[in-house]
Amino acid sequence: MGMFDYLNERGGKIELLPIDKPEFSGKTPLEIFEEVLKHEQYVTSRINTVYDVAEEVRDRAAMKFLDWYIDEQVEEEASVDGVLSTLRLIGDDKNALLLLDKDLATRTFVAPVIG
């Protein structure tokens, strides 16, 4: 069940508003992934804010639903941190960067199983 389905099922009102595109100014893969990590940390903070509200109003169903998003963000931050560690290790080695790129290209998306 996705977020929209969940909100509809609980009688919520959904209003879609524009979201500003994240600003990225990095020029190297290392700089770009450092910005990606900062963005993932921002997303985590926003999810935590929603969870805090659910906790404040004692909405346990919402808290349980948000658990998947929290777990996913932990994985996302760890994944980006792993890429950053590798980029720092390989430095300017273009062959190693190519191998990292090939490795990252093999990752597959796994759709969430929620509720």
Side-chain angles (χ1 to χ4, degrees):
M1 172 185 306
M3 181 72 72
F4 293 115
D5 294 331
Y6 176 80
L7 290 172
N8 278 328
E9 189 174 281
R10 304 267 334 262
K13 179 180 180 245
I14 299 170
E15 181 179 356
L16 299 176
L17 302 172
I19 299 173
D20 292 335
K21 177 181 142 186
E23 295 293 325
F24 289 99
S25 60
K27 303 294 183 217
T28 67
L30 178 62
E31 291 171 348
I32 291 167
F33 271 90
E34 285 171 340
E35 291 181 13
V36 168
L37 180 59
K38 286 179 188 173
H39 181 71
E40 289 296 343
Q41 290 167 337
Y42 169 75
V43 170
T44 298
S45 75
R46 304 307 297 156
I47 293 168
N48 286 339
T49 298
V50 173
Y51 193 94
D52 289 345
V53 170
E55 190 172 40
E56 183 178 311
V57 299
R58 302 175 67 92
D59 186 344
R60 288 173 180 78
M63 291 163 58
K64 181 178 179 193
F65 180 78
L66 290 168
D67 283 342
W68 180 86
Y69 291 92
I70 291 169
D71 292 344
E72 182 65 17
Q73 277 309 113
V74 168
E75 289 179 24
E76 289 300 318
E77 286 187 31
S79 176
V80 173
D81 195 47
V83 173
L84 275 170
S85 294
T86 302
L87 286 169
R88 288 183 186 112
L89 181 66
I90 66 176
D92 294 330
D93 185 339
K94 299 211 183 309
N95 290 327
L97 185 59
L98 180 60
L99 290 174
L100 174 61
D101 182 60
K102 285 184 176 186
D103 182 52
L104 293 175
T106 64
R107 294 183 177 191
T108 57
F109 174 74
V110 178
V113 177
I114 306 172

